[in-house]
Amino acid sequence: MGMQQWEDLQWTEPLPDWVKEIRPHQYQAVLEIKEAFDEGLEMVVVSAPTGSGKTLLGELARRIIGERGLYVCNGLALQDQFVRDFHAPVLKGRRNYPTVHEPDMTADDCFGKLCLLCPGWAECPYEIAKDTARRGNPAVLNTAYFLGESNGPGLMARDRGLVVMDEADTIEAELMRWAEFKVTEGAAGKLGMSIPRKGVHWPTIMTWLADYVGRLKRKISTLDSREDAKEIRKLRSRIEHADAMFLKAGDEGVAEWVRVYDRSEALILKPIMVDRIAGQFLWRHGKRWLLMSATVIGAEQMLADLGWTKPWRLVEVESTFPVEHRPVYPLPAALMTRKGKEAGEWEKAIRALELVLDKHPDERVLVHTVSYELAGLIMAGLEGGEHSSRLTTYRGADERTRALARYKAAEGGVLVAPSMDRGVDLPGELCRVQVVMKLPHPYLGDAQVNARLRETDGGELWYQLETIRTLVQMTGRGVRSAEDWATTYVLDKQLVLGLSNQHMLILLLTFMVSMLTFGTGRTNILFGLVHMVVFAVFVFMVFVP
């Protein structure tokens, strides 16, 4: 479709020079977005598969409706891509901006307008970036910073008519992570307090929190506003957090939280769901919202979980990727559960992976392990073998980028990856094979995940949708254009455990319907009904032989 097709849309800003042509599906999607906002809707969800030009689509929509906007996303790769493509100013957290006089220190160490780390307030790199972003249209923020800034100073979203949130299927997790409240044993000790013992009831925790906030306020009163500005800023943030989430939320809000335990003696509180807090801490900070994702997969459920109750519209973009270019083969080699590990099943999966590598000796292979533990076992299990020299992995987020670079540089390389289901583009020969070692279920060892699954309406549906979304993201790392191709193998026996041949037939039918649904990038009520009918038949046949 040529550029002349856009003359009827009369946008307020010209297109970037690199945009030489608009594809038909992009044109249609922008028309539908504009129509929805013209009708007065405040929410549009765009389901746009990989390769559809999602970021361009969102920015074109903003320019056509003529609003000042924000572009919000999770991953650094998307953030950098948007800045590069549209020359938009980006604002990051204070720690990303070294000070002028002390490059080893950052704006996070700043102690206010009288700070001596820079020549003056106006010369502070962070303040310069913030002012540039505040005036920019659009400005780029990551999700965590957007939540923190919007619920603090609130300058970035002010006077903006549209917030575009990419990777929308991660909003719930990001809001949950931002809302989490944690007090370490050391922090409590500095205030002369002890962490509430395990198992105490909520009224006891609420009383403790009120005492904690009171002590923080008394602590601030003893500090110097200039020399202790950084500490005062952080203590005030803690007070605001405790007040907003608990002390001023009322009993109904507190009932939606769960206490989580880790190896430390910290008090850790997480929301079971965010639907009751999203209105206050997210939606009130924007006039109109455009949510985009390659894995919407259940827009109704996603918005319900995020507490959106107003009318909205789903815009679906067709995939241009042929299904035959991205086959997925279930190879039920091992039971990849904790019990399966104890029974020696994980070793079977490693042997199955070895066979896959035998089949693809010269191609780059991305192995999704879900956990660092399994990645380590794979590296140990294949050490000294035929494929040992092909392998690379990483043991923490700080090693991830270097491991990816080593993999890309190695012909026939194999990347054993615990956390590359998102934000990684491996086009062409950079990835011809993907192996999913373990189905990416949310971790039930997390008290919040367990409570969400077992104690809320729709918990089972949420659990399965999260698994499907992550699985679809995994399988999309190696197919980045309509001409690209990659083969995916799923080795986890949980896919078919305990099923008869008859049940397997129904399950495979479900799998085929899913591939057709998600392969086209379209998920609507009709597809949903088909899934429900197939699944109902499966359940009926399992329990009524």
Side-chain angles (χ1 to χ4, degrees):
M1 176 174 293
M3 297 298 294
Q4 68 277 4
Q5 301 260 172
W6 285 88
E7 294 175 358
D8 58 330
L9 292 178
Q10 300 179 353
W11 57 68
T12 56
E13 301 172 47
L15 296 175
D17 292 338
W18 57 267
V19 180
K20 304 301 182 185
E21 185 178 52
I22 302 301
R23 289 175 280 177
H25 67 269
Q26 293 172 325
Y27 178 79
Q28 182 60 35
V30 172
L31 283 179
E32 293 181 33
I33 293 168
K34 182 177 185 299
E35 180 182 74
F37 285 135
D38 285 347
E39 292 175 10
L41 294 180
E42 298 175 21
M43 172 69 73
V44 176
V45 179
V46 176
S47 176
T50 301
S52 58
K54 195 158 65 312
T55 52
L56 173 62
L57 203 158
E59 176 59 6
L60 290 176
R62 185 197 65 78
R63 296 184 185 207
I64 286 167
I65 64 177
E67 291 281 11
R68 295 190 72 239
L70 284 176
Y71 175 78
V72 182
C73 67
N74 240 0
L76 288 175
L78 271 178
Q79 206 174 44
D80 292 342
Q81 177 188 330
F82 195 93
V83 170
R84 182 177 63 251
D85 288 348
F86 301 106
H87 306 291
V90 60
L91 181 59
K92 302 178 181 180
R94 289 174 171 270
R95 294 182 182 180
N96 293 280
Y97 299 92
T99 59
V100 176
H101 293 321
E102 299 290 343
D104 292 336
M105 302 179 74
T106 70
D108 193 46
D109 299 304
C110 174
F111 45 86
K113 291 189 176 182
L114 298 178
C115 177
L116 300 178
L117 297 176
C118 293
W121 187 257
E123 287 78 29
C124 171
Y126 173 70
E127 292 300 326
I128 293 172
K130 187 163 64 173
D131 183 65
T132 303
R134 189 162 52 235
R135 291 183 285 104
N137 184 31
V140 182
L141 309 176
N142 69 35
T143 310
Y145 189 91
F146 172 72
L147 289 169
E149 201 282 335
S150 297
N151 291 287
L155 299 175
M156 295 306 301
R158 189 178 299 171
D159 301 324
R160 296 185 189 266
L162 179 67
V163 179
V164 179
M165 296 196 77
D166 211 339
E167 302 174 301
D169 57 295
T170 68
I171 294 175
E172 181 183 11
E174 285 300 305
L175 182 54
M176 193 167 293
R177 188 175 295 113
W178 176 81
E180 177 183 320
F181 189 84
K182 181 176 181 178
V183 182
T184 65
E185 186 178 23
K190 290 179 181 179
L191 295 172
M193 303 180 70
S194 299
I195 296 294
R197 70 179 188 277
K198 293 182 180 181
V200 299
H201 295 241
W202 274 110
T204 301
I205 291 177
M206 290 290 288
T207 300
W208 189 93
L209 287 171
D211 184 22
Y212 171 74
V213 166
R215 294 184 187 226
L216 288 179
K217 290 179 179 178
R218 290 193 292 274
K219 175 71 174 178
I220 289 175
S221 68
T222 67
L223 299 176
D224 183 277
S225 60
R226 175 178 173 177
E227 295 183 359
D228 303 311
K230 177 182 177 181
E231 186 175 359
I232 290 173
R233 184 170 64 242
K234 292 186 176 181
L235 294 179
R236 284 176 175 166
S237 176
R238 300 294 292 165
I239 292 170
E240 292 167 1
H241 197 167
D243 279 344
M245 296 298 171
F246 306 104
L247 301 180
K248 296 181 181 179
D251 293 339
E252 185 177 359
V254 172
E256 293 298 315
W257 291 70
V258 64
R259 183 175 181 180
V260 176
Y261 301 97
D262 62 9
R263 296 178 181 178
S264 71
E265 294 298 322
L267 173 67
I268 306 173
L269 305 174
K270 291 184 178 182
I272 297 175
M273 295 184 65
V274 299
D275 55 340
R276 294 187 183 181
I277 64 173
Q280 177 181 355
F281 297 110
L282 177 60
W283 302 130
R284 74 181 179 91
H285 299 300
K287 296 177 182 177
R288 289 189 280 193
W289 298 85
L290 181 62
L291 308 189
M292 307 189 299
S293 176
T295 48
V296 171
I297 308 178
E300 297 91 344
Q301 181 75 22
M302 182 179 77
L303 288 179
D305 290 344
L306 288 169
W308 184 268
T309 57
K310 299 178 183 179
W312 58 279
R313 183 163 301 166
L314 175 65
V315 174
E316 298 170 304
V317 180
E318 293 278 5
S319 174
T320 59
F321 295 6
V323 175
E324 59 269 20
H325 285 190
R326 42 201 166 94
V328 180
Y329 297 109
L331 298 178
L335 178 61
M336 300 303 290
T337 62
R338 186 58 53 184
K339 289 184 178 179
K341 180 191 175 189
E342 294 170 358
E345 290 283 310
W346 287 24
E347 285 79 4
K348 294 180 183 178
I350 295 173
R351 299 285 75 81
L353 171 61
E354 196 168 23
L355 293 176
V356 172
L357 299 182
D358 288 343
K359 182 177 175 62
H360 301 277
D362 303 316
E363 295 169 311
R364 289 188 179 89
V365 181
L366 175 61
V367 182
H368 295 288
T369 69
V370 179
S371 71
Y372 288 100
E373 177 188 17
L374 180 53
L377 290 174
I378 290 172
M379 296 297 290
L382 297 181
E383 185 177 6
E386 180 180 350
H387 305 290
S388 179
S389 62
R390 300 173 62 188
L391 303 176
T392 189
T393 190
Y394 52 98
R395 293 171 292 181
D398 57 327
E399 299 179 9
R400 188 174 184 262
T401 301
R402 292 192 297 273
L404 184 60
R406 290 196 302 271
Y407 164 75
K408 290 180 177 179
E411 293 292 336
V414 177
L415 178 56
V416 182
S419 58
M420 288 203 182
D421 51 287
R422 289 179 180 273
V424 180
D425 290 343
L426 298 171
E429 298 301 325
L430 290 179
C431 183
R432 288 305 186 197
V433 181
Q434 301 177 108
V435 182
V436 179
M437 298 294 295
K438 186 179 186 298
L439 291 184
H441 296 299
Y443 177 51
L444 287 175
D446 186 311
Q448 182 275 326
V449 171
N450 207 302
R452 176 69 186 277
L453 171 63
R454 307 186 193 284
E455 299 176 16
T456 65
D457 294 336
E460 181 66 34
L461 176 60
W462 165 82
Y463 188 76
Q464 299 302 339
L465 285 176
E466 285 298 298
T467 303
I468 293 171
R469 286 176 183 135
T470 305
L471 186 58
V472 172
Q473 287 285 349
M474 285 178 168
T475 60
R477 296 309 93 206
V479 184
R480 310 305 295 176
S481 69
E483 296 74 32
D484 205 356
W485 58 269
T487 300
T488 300
Y489 301 94
V490 182
L491 305 188
D492 195 344
K493 193 183 288 186
Q494 291 181 86
L495 195 64
V496 297
L497 181 64
L499 301 181
S500 66
N501 290 337
Q502 188 180 40
H503 297 156
M504 271 295 299
L505 180 62
I506 297 296
L507 181 63
L508 288 174
L509 175 60
T510 304
F511 186 78
M512 291 170 62
V513 171
S514 298
M515 287 302 297
L516 289 173
T517 301
F518 306 136
T520 60
R522 300 184 68 87
T523 55
N524 54 34
I525 293 176
L526 176 59
F527 282 127
L529 288 173
V530 172
H531 281 277
M532 288 179 66
V533 169
V534 174
F535 183 69
V537 172
F538 171 69
V539 172
F540 180 80
M541 292 179 67
V542 169
F543 292 101
V544 186

